Amino acid sequence: MKMTRRSWVTSLVAGTMLLGTSLLAPATALAQEKALIVRFYDDPAGFDPANIFRIENENIAFNIFSGLTTYDGVTGELIPDLAESWETDDNITWTFHLRKGVQWQQGYGEFTAEDVIYSFNRILDPATASPYASELSGIESMEAPDPHTLVITLSAANGNFLHTVANYHQGQIVKREAIEAAGDQVRWKPVGTGPYYLESIDVNSQIVLKRHEDYYKGPAPIETLDFQIIKDDATAAIALRNGEIDLLMRQGREEQLQTLEAEGFKMNTVGNYAVSLKVLNLEDPILQDVRVRQAIAHAIDYPSITAAIAPSLQAPAYSILLPWMDVFSEAAPRYEYDPEKARALLAEAGYADGFTLKVLGTSAQGVSEQQQFEIDYLSQVGINMELELVDTPTYNQRRNAGDFMMAGRLLPAVNPDMILFSYLHPDNLAPGGLNGARYDNPELTSTLEAAQADADPQTRMELYAKVQEIAMTDLPYIPATASNVFWPGKQSVTGVNINYLAQVNFWDVDIED
Amino acid sequence: MLTYSLKRLAQLFVTVLGVVTLVFFTMRMIPGDPISAMAGDNLSGAALDQMRTQMGLNESLLMQYLTYLGSLAVLDFGNTVTTKLPIIQLILDALPVTVSIAVGTIILTVLISIPLGTLAAYMAHKGHKTLDNAITGVAMVLDLMPSFWTSLVCLLIFSLALGWFPASGTVTIDDPVQLMRRIALPVLVLSMAQIATMARITRTSVLEVLSEDYVRTARSMGWSELRVLFRHALKNAALPIVTVVGLSFGNLLNGTVIVEFIFTLPGIGNLLVGGINSRDYQMVQTLILFYALIFVIINFATDLVYRVFDPRVQF
């Protein structure tokens, strides 16, 4: 810092005089180039698909990399990406026909089937230590008969394999030469085939993406994406209202959404993107009784809670899967608010006088309004909810270790198997896996495995319906709320289609004059 | 003087080693570790354990401590857990922002609170209670407003309504004008609280010396009231003020956490909060080591400044 005491004093005292001048004009935009300034809400943690965490980082990676398939931003359907088409007879052998003439960013040449084989092997290699290795562990072999054909053979049938190879985590295709050149800085030097490449990054303040001129669908309309790190939601809203940013990635505060909407900003949104579940620990002697679990579900009126505290950001959830998923079943049991029934179930289970339910939560936001409502609703059926708030790392650790009665979990996923297998399959029992309820029902397990393998669409739907029926009857997890995601922006910013992984494909985004 | 300096240096070493050790074990006593903090909701326990082994977190605590001391001895501060970037570089990048805020705050505080406190003392001395009470009262109110609240109010007024200062935007030391526009509001917010303390201290110590004999003598020599006040009274009342300025500079370096968050400034407070939240042991240890060093150095500097104001102070 080369500032003398005098210049400091002068500047501070004379500050007001400078205020009216050009210094106060917003950061100058390049006249001929289109640039979009986007709010980014946390410290970036890197963009290596093998070790990527958290939605904001995944959003950047989604625009740098491509998968064999990807998700349509509007409909949420699986659509071709690097693979133009594919075929399988048995859900075991998958043949992908790859797009020709796809160029890597930064002069790394043309994309071929070998790149896919390298990328998947890299995820599977224990040396990479990728937490997503298990996603690809069903691959038995990969072959490339020619540079634009890829044959993947699985060890067991998987009807949802196209989700596994989508543009997300393990499905994102990297370039061997670029990975090797980056060494231990891979997370900061991503090279993909997507519409934008990483131009520069300052981990404390800014990420700049430039459009990939040779993108296979043609260059994106906007040349530069300037992501500015603004952590506080209130500050971010002021920055948008001030015109300092064009688009606000994720506004998480109800009152800010209301202000921005009232001021005429475009409220880009996706509804029902992930279910927030209550995890009931089945190793607990009280919660082992299914009637107790059902009583809890009947006792809390989540539709009223969401309507009261966050009508924009939350919606009530009724099932472990979301209604937009292709295998979602309407027939699974639902638990309407019914305190009488809850009391009856508790009495049947031998808890007519109630019991104490110890709930583990994170202290990040203090006691939430939702938790206050839960305490009140449960007390009305005689359940004494005791809330214990700990910080996030402690919370994660105790949830893994099983040191709780009821906790929560939110797992964003488009692949229904990701949710069903993670939460319900005994192979994924915590602490090894995400089955935090410690749920193991052989009937469900065999039905789920059959559903994943079945190649007949009709039988598959029936089997998945059966899985949901069992899960919602046994109720190891209680669906509480579904989150809605908002990216408020200027009216002139078009094409902000948020998909069900809360990601935006910036190739669709443009700025109108 | 030399003996004194050497003694202080030895003290510094012991203090810093103690701090480092305390922080090392405290961080590991808090439940959770970098891996569980990073994983969030979508990682299984097996994947976590694999990552833990890779990072050496499954080693014994003593082994980890010795490894840490070894790396300190060769000034290797390591990389962050999540980003794998060199910690020392991140701190050096963030330091100018925080130092600018702290220096700006001290300057603004001193410029306002010392005349104000002296004035209040003078008024009290002369028996004009009303103005004295008004100054002390306003200072109290400013002190009691929490900075997360004043920050947002300042943003709403000066950034949104008046449009004088931006709420966001990149900060670099290469662009001092932009830097000043970005830190102006944080400096204002932090000064509000500092002014109160400083004005009170000034008032008390000036009031004390105003009844001293030498002030009366100065007056009797026919000098102007201003000269008496600032040349004689204030100078002799300066010691406690210097102490408070020194201490508050140290406090400001870590007290900028909230304003850095709200005003989106990439300073070291930001690093510390991020480091604690992500249980980045190495980052927190290095930052605390750093704070300890700064405090020791500032205390030393304050002692030296004492001599300027009071030649009787001997080392």
Side-chain angles (χ1 to χ4, degrees):
Chain A
M1 288 298 303
K2 284 179 193 154
M3 265 183 243
T4 62
R5 186 189 168 110
R6 176 174 294 183
S7 74
W8 262 100
V9 175
T10 318
S11 304
L12 285 168
V13 171
T16 29
M17 284 187 262
L18 293 170
L19 296 176
T21 70
S22 59
L23 290 173
L24 291 168
T28 47
L30 294 169
Q32 64 276 40
E33 256 199 8
K34 277 188 182 176
L36 189 76
I37 305 180
V38 186
R39 181 261 181 133
F40 195 79
Y41 59 87
D42 206 351
D43 292 326
F47 315 111
D48 175 5
N51 284 298
I52 196 163
F53 295 103
R54 301 209 308 259
I55 295 162
E56 68 276 19
N57 302 307
E58 290 161 2
N59 246 302
I60 300 285
F62 184 67
N63 283 280
I64 293 175
F65 296 100
S66 316
L68 293 179
T69 61
T70 189
Y71 297 105
D72 187 291
V74 180
T75 66
E77 278 172 37
L78 270 172
I79 51 170
D81 197 3
L82 290 174
E84 257 174 338
S85 62
W86 48 82
E87 64 236 16
T88 179
D89 298 327
D90 49 6
N91 286 345
I92 290 178
T93 307
W94 292 79
T95 307
F96 293 93
H97 302 286
L98 307 182
R99 207 176 285 278
K100 288 173 184 148
V102 173
Q103 290 297 319
W104 285 98
Q105 296 158 1
Q106 305 180 24
Y108 276 97
E110 197 179 322
F111 159 77
T112 67
E114 285 304 323
D115 296 324
V116 184
I117 295 177
Y118 169 76
S119 300
F120 290 174
N121 278 332
R122 175 170 178 265
I123 299 280
L124 288 166
D125 183 355
T128 312
S130 170
Y132 308 117
S134 62
E135 299 292 316
L136 293 176
S137 59
I139 295 180
E140 197 159 81
S141 68
M142 291 183 278
E143 277 169 66
D146 67 72
H148 298 103
T149 307
L150 175 71
V151 181
I152 298 181
T153 309
L154 305 179
S155 51
N158 181 355
N160 282 321
F161 188 61
L162 292 175
H163 282 295
T164 310
V165 296
N167 183 7
Y168 190 57
H169 295 168
Q170 74 284 342
Q172 292 173 329
I173 306 305
V174 297
K175 183 73 179 158
R176 176 200 292 263
E177 287 78 3
I179 298 279
E180 285 170 359
D184 64 352
Q185 291 295 303
V186 164
R187 67 186 65 219
W188 301 120
K189 294 180 176 168
V191 174
T193 52
Y196 283 92
Y197 66 91
L198 181 71
E199 186 185 63
S200 67
I201 181 159
D202 175 345
V203 289
N204 287 317
S205 60
Q206 191 186 28
I207 304 158
V208 180
L209 301 189
K210 285 276 185 189
R211 78 174 175 202
H212 175 32
E213 297 294 339
D214 298 323
Y215 182 53
Y216 72 82
K217 286 202 274 187
I222 297 172
E223 275 93 345
T224 308
L225 301 177
D226 178 355
F227 294 88
Q228 292 277 339
I229 300 169
I230 306 176
K231 293 184 183 174
D232 187 58
D233 273 339
T235 309
I238 289 174
L240 180 62
R241 291 161 78 190
N242 252 351
E244 294 165 28
I245 58 173
D246 303 307
L247 184 64
L248 196 163
M249 182 192 288
R250 257 188 137 152
Q251 175 53 259
R253 281 181 31 192
E254 193 75 29
E255 75 277 11
Q256 299 293 349
L257 287 172
Q258 282 163 13
T259 309
L260 292 173
E261 189 163 17
E263 292 195 2
F265 287 97
K266 198 184 270 182
M267 305 304 281
N268 309 293
T269 182
V270 62
N272 282 335
Y273 107 96
V275 186
S276 168
L277 297 172
K278 299 291 168 194
V279 183
L280 300 172
N281 188 348
L282 303 193
E283 282 169 4
D284 182 87
I286 301 173
L287 295 178
Q288 257 171 12
D289 192 319
V290 67
R291 291 167 296 192
V292 174
R293 306 199 291 271
Q294 293 173 342
I296 296 172
H298 276 303
I300 307 173
D301 185 3
Y302 282 111
S304 297
I305 295 178
T306 55
I309 60 179
S312 315
L313 286 162
Q314 288 182 344
Y318 301 100
S319 184
I320 192 165
L321 293 184
L322 288 156
W324 49 263
M325 291 179 169
D326 59 348
V327 299
F328 176 77
S329 162
E330 289 284 354
R334 289 186 178 193
Y335 296 85
E336 306 294 343
Y337 174 57
D338 189 344
E340 282 310 315
K341 201 166 176 184
R343 271 190 287 265
L345 283 163
L346 283 176
E348 243 180 79
Y351 297 101
D353 298 331
F355 66 96
T356 295
L357 179 67
K358 288 184 182 163
V359 175
L360 188 65
T362 59
S363 55
Q365 311 286 334
V367 180
S368 71
E369 287 172 307
Q370 184 181 320
Q371 285 159 338
Q372 293 174 39
F373 275 108
E374 286 167 356
I375 290 172
D376 192 47
Y377 275 115
L378 287 171
S379 75
Q380 286 170 24
V381 301
I383 298 174
N384 171 33
M385 168 170 158
E386 248 180 46
L387 188 58
E388 190 184 355
L389 297 183
V390 293
D391 66 0
T392 309
T394 314
Y395 177 71
N396 288 338
Q397 194 171 61
R398 285 187 48 184
R399 198 171 47 167
N400 257 334
D403 184 10
F404 68 97
M405 279 176 82
M406 184 163 103
R409 197 177 269 281
L410 180 130
L411 178 63
V414 177
N415 183 354
D417 281 347
M418 174 90 179
I419 292 177
L420 297 173
F421 273 84
S422 300
Y423 284 145
L424 302 168
H425 199 281
D427 282 358
N428 293 319
L429 282 172
L434 295 187
N435 184 349
R438 281 80 179 155
Y439 175 71
D440 182 3
N441 179 343
E443 190 195 358
L444 181 137
T445 307
S446 59
T447 317
L448 181 56
E449 284 169 355
Q452 189 191 44
D454 210 289
D456 175 54
Q458 184 58 36
T459 329
R460 180 168 174 268
M461 286 301 284
E462 284 165 13
L463 290 168
Y464 273 113
K466 177 92 174 138
V467 168
Q468 289 163 72
E469 194 198 318
I470 303 172
M472 290 309 295
T473 306
D474 287 353
L475 214 63
Y477 304 89
I478 299 175
T481 56
S483 336
N484 304 328
V485 171
F486 286 85
W487 287 38
K490 291 180 179 166
Q491 287 291 346
S492 56
V493 179
T494 62
V496 181
N497 307 316
I498 310 169
N499 69 19
Y500 286 119
L501 290 165
Q503 298 176 323
V504 168
N505 183 346
F506 279 95
W507 190 79
D508 296 330
V509 178
D510 199 357
I511 306 169
E512 280 175 1
D513 296 325
Chain B
M1 182 73 194
L2 182 68
T3 341
Y4 176 74
S5 297
L6 282 177
K7 213 173 106 193
R8 287 298 288 251
L9 203 67
Q11 276 176 0
L12 183 147
F13 183 77
V14 175
T15 310
V16 167
L17 186 70
V19 168
V20 162
T21 308
L22 203 66
V23 173
F24 180 91
F25 289 103
T26 314
M27 277 308 283
R28 282 158 180 80
M29 271 159 61
I30 315 173
D33 67 12
I35 304 296
S36 61
M38 179 161 58
D41 259 12
N42 46 10
L43 268 199
S44 65
L48 298 181
D49 204 54
Q50 188 185 1
M51 293 167 70
R52 222 166 255 140
T53 308
Q54 221 191 20
M55 280 181 48
L57 292 172
N58 284 339
E59 306 254 357
S60 76
L61 207 56
L62 184 67
M63 200 59 219
Q64 291 184 47
Y65 179 62
L66 292 177
T67 314
Y68 172 57
L69 286 189
S71 60
L72 265 193
V74 294
L75 296 179
D76 172 12
F77 298 102
N79 295 337
T80 65
V81 175
T82 42
T83 61
K84 306 283 180 229
L85 293 171
I87 286 170
I88 195 72
Q89 192 56 48
L90 289 175
I91 293 179
L92 290 178
D93 286 347
L95 196 60
V97 175
T98 304
V99 170
S100 310
I101 299 173
V103 170
T105 305
I106 290 290
I107 291 172
L108 188 64
T109 304
V110 165
L111 282 181
I112 295 176
S113 61
I114 290 186
L116 214 59
T118 314
L119 185 66
Y122 182 70
M123 289 300 161
H125 183 67
K126 290 279 175 191
H128 302 302
K129 282 286 174 203
T130 326
L131 192 60
D132 174 36
N133 286 343
I135 293 174
T136 326
V138 169
M140 284 286 272
V141 171
L142 288 180
D143 195 13
L144 290 173
M145 293 193 295
S147 62
F148 64 86
W149 183 78
T150 40
S151 295
L152 286 175
V153 171
C154 281
L155 268 181
L156 285 173
I157 296 173
F158 296 105
S159 184
L160 193 61
L162 298 174
W164 290 357
F165 301 102
S168 67
T170 319
V171 181
T172 58
I173 44 165
D174 309 326
D175 185 353
V177 175
Q178 168 72 358
L179 177 73
M180 275 195 224
R181 291 185 57 221
R182 291 281 280 110
I183 68 167
L185 291 181
V187 163
L188 183 67
V189 167
L190 289 174
S191 299
M192 283 185 199
Q194 296 287 326
I195 284 168
T197 320
M198 207 86 83
R200 277 205 311 272
I201 302 270
T202 310
R203 179 184 171 279
T204 314
S205 31
V206 172
L207 192 56
E208 219 165 83
V209 298
L210 278 178
S211 347
E212 297 276 342
D213 290 344
Y214 58 83
V215 173
R216 206 176 46 220
T217 312
R219 280 224 183 84
S220 68
M221 289 176 80
W223 286 337
S224 74
E225 281 295 290
L226 272 181
R227 181 163 174 177
V228 172
L229 251 181
F230 285 94
R231 186 77 180 271
H232 297 275
L234 188 58
K235 194 178 170 189
N236 283 292
L239 273 195
I241 303 174
V242 170
T243 313
V244 174
V245 169
L247 281 178
S248 55
F249 184 75
N251 283 330
L252 275 171
L253 285 181
N254 54 43
T256 57
V257 170
I258 289 167
V259 298
E260 283 179 17
F261 183 81
I262 294 179
F263 292 98
T264 314
L265 292 162
I268 49 179
N270 209 358
L271 289 183
L272 184 63
V273 173
I276 292 173
N277 282 339
S278 61
R279 291 289 191 278
D280 196 328
Y281 297 150
Q282 200 71 25
M283 173 62 97
V284 176
Q285 282 159 199
T286 311
L287 275 171
I288 301 288
L289 168 69
F290 202 76
Y291 281 135
L293 279 174
I294 288 180
F295 260 95
V296 175
I297 290 167
I298 286 175
N299 282 350
F300 183 57
T302 311
D303 286 354
L304 291 183
V305 174
Y306 274 6
R307 270 178 74 122
V308 177
F309 286 96
D310 188 348
R312 287 171 303 177
V313 174
Q314 292 292 323
F315 293 119

